[in-house]
Amino acid sequence: VVGDLDDEHATELLTQLPTEYAAQVFARLDEERQGLLAGLMGNNSTALIATEMNSDERADFFSMLPPSVGEPLLEELEKVDPEAAEDVEELSRWPETSAGGLMSTDYISLAPSLRISEATDEIRKSAHEAETLEAIYVVDTAHKLLGYLTLRNLLLSEPADRVYDVMQSNVISVPSELDQEEVAKILAKYDLHTLPVVDQKGEMLGVITSDDILDVMVEEQAEDVQKMGAIAPLPEGYFDASIFVYVKKRAPWLLVLF
């Protein structure tokens, strides 16, 4: 409905919705519309919505804003939710097409020494902030990734068991600099729904979920098809590009072919 409304009415509707739900709606709009509505809603309303967005979607939103709009909005976000603003700055330093650019910092981590009963309590407290509960990651005091727990592990373990004794230690992870196409291949190869991202020291930085990878696969396949049609990859959608863009993208290829 918001997508079909004009900007004025869409802005009015978003500001009337509960903030958490407004964030879910806002995240599903295309980037151009997000930028327009953010300008109409004002920094305070937009910052409140941004606090409820997933960390990766929030970082993507800020990355497409021009500095004249993004910087004042980030300052407002720091007032409303300093932790969310810190996440934006952290995630924005990675290239968009890298594992770091795809990852979310909304995940649950546990200490290996916890008992299962204690771990369950920790998960219950943090579950509403996590993007996924597919895997619960185990890290040491230096935040180095040691393994992971599934909900199956938790349910089949005794309350007195230690996390370290029941966790899966053969965890598959990717470095933050890895290209998004390689990330998609690894996720598909091992049939995973979540993939942890680590730095050079093995310290956990975030997680990539399968829904993020679906977007990557569509993007990469579209690029391959465009190359097969002797067209340089288009930054916008196939039906959104202008005639001038098509001439610019295709002419060099046609000259080479001739």
Side-chain angles (χ1 to χ4, degrees):
V1 172
V2 170
D4 292 335
L5 292 173
D6 60 61
D7 292 339
E8 184 180 346
H9 287 96
T11 302
E12 184 179 353
L13 179 54
L14 278 173
T15 53
Q16 294 300 319
L17 290 172
T19 307
E20 185 177 352
Y21 185 60
Q24 295 175 35
V25 175
F26 188 77
R28 284 165 173 74
L29 300 174
D30 62 64
E31 290 185 351
E32 184 179 353
R33 195 78 195 282
Q34 285 181 341
L36 286 170
L37 296 182
L40 291 171
M41 286 190 295
N43 287 342
N44 183 257
S45 295
T46 306
L48 288 172
I49 287 177
T51 60
E52 297 294 339
M53 295 171 71
N54 291 335
S55 59
D56 53 340
E57 292 174 341
R58 183 168 54 232
D60 290 342
F61 167 59
F62 273 87
S63 69
M64 64 88 182
L65 294 174
S68 59
V69 178
E71 290 175 3
L73 181 56
L74 187 59
E75 289 178 6
E76 184 66 27
L77 184 62
E78 285 178 351
K79 298 175 186 175
V80 175
D81 189 339
E83 189 175 338
E86 187 179 341
D87 274 346
V88 170
E89 293 175 339
E90 173 66 22
L91 294 175
S92 297
R93 67 190 181 97
W94 304 107
E96 287 186 22
T97 57
S98 68
L102 289 173
M103 72 181 181
S104 167
T105 55
D106 300 327
Y107 64 91
I108 298 176
S109 61
L110 298 171
S113 59
L114 290 177
R115 297 190 184 278
I116 292 299
S117 58
E118 297 170 327
T120 305
D121 291 338
E122 287 291 321
I123 293 167
R124 191 177 291 112
K125 292 175 186 175
S126 309
H128 67 284
E129 298 176 358
E131 186 168 347
T132 178
L133 294 177
E134 186 73 27
I136 313 298
Y137 294 98
V138 183
V139 298
D140 63 14
T141 52
H143 219 65
K144 186 174 181 179
L145 181 61
L146 302 176
Y148 69 97
L149 285 171
T150 64
L151 293 180
R152 180 183 178 87
N153 293 141
L154 288 169
L155 290 171
L156 296 180
S157 301
E158 295 296 328
D161 290 343
R162 298 285 181 182
V163 167
Y164 185 85
D165 295 324
V166 299
M167 73 178 189
Q168 305 286 325
S169 57
N170 59 332
V171 59
I172 296 167
S173 61
V174 293
S176 54
E177 301 85 5
L178 192 67
D179 183 75
Q180 62 180 13
E181 192 169 3
E182 293 302 314
V183 174
K185 289 178 181 177
I186 292 171
L187 205 70
K189 178 181 179 180
Y190 295 102
D191 196 24
L192 301 171
H193 296 288
T194 61
L195 194 58
V197 181
V198 298
D199 63 11
Q200 295 177 345
K201 298 178 182 177
E203 295 175 11
M204 190 160 176
L205 300 173
V207 295
I208 298 172
T209 54
S210 54
D211 60 327
D212 299 321
I213 292 301
L214 282 173
D215 296 334
V216 171
M217 291 174 70
V218 170
E219 181 183 320
E220 295 290 345
Q221 287 170 358
E223 186 175 313
D224 291 342
V225 169
Q226 287 163 12
K227 288 177 180 177
M228 290 169 64
I231 300 176
L234 300 168
E236 58 274 269
Y238 184 84
F239 292 104
D240 297 325
S242 66
I243 295 296
F244 174 75
V245 169
Y246 278 114
V247 171
K248 183 180 177 183
K249 295 290 185 180
R250 187 155 190 169
W253 287 98
L254 290 177
L255 287 172
V256 171
L257 290 171
F258 279 128

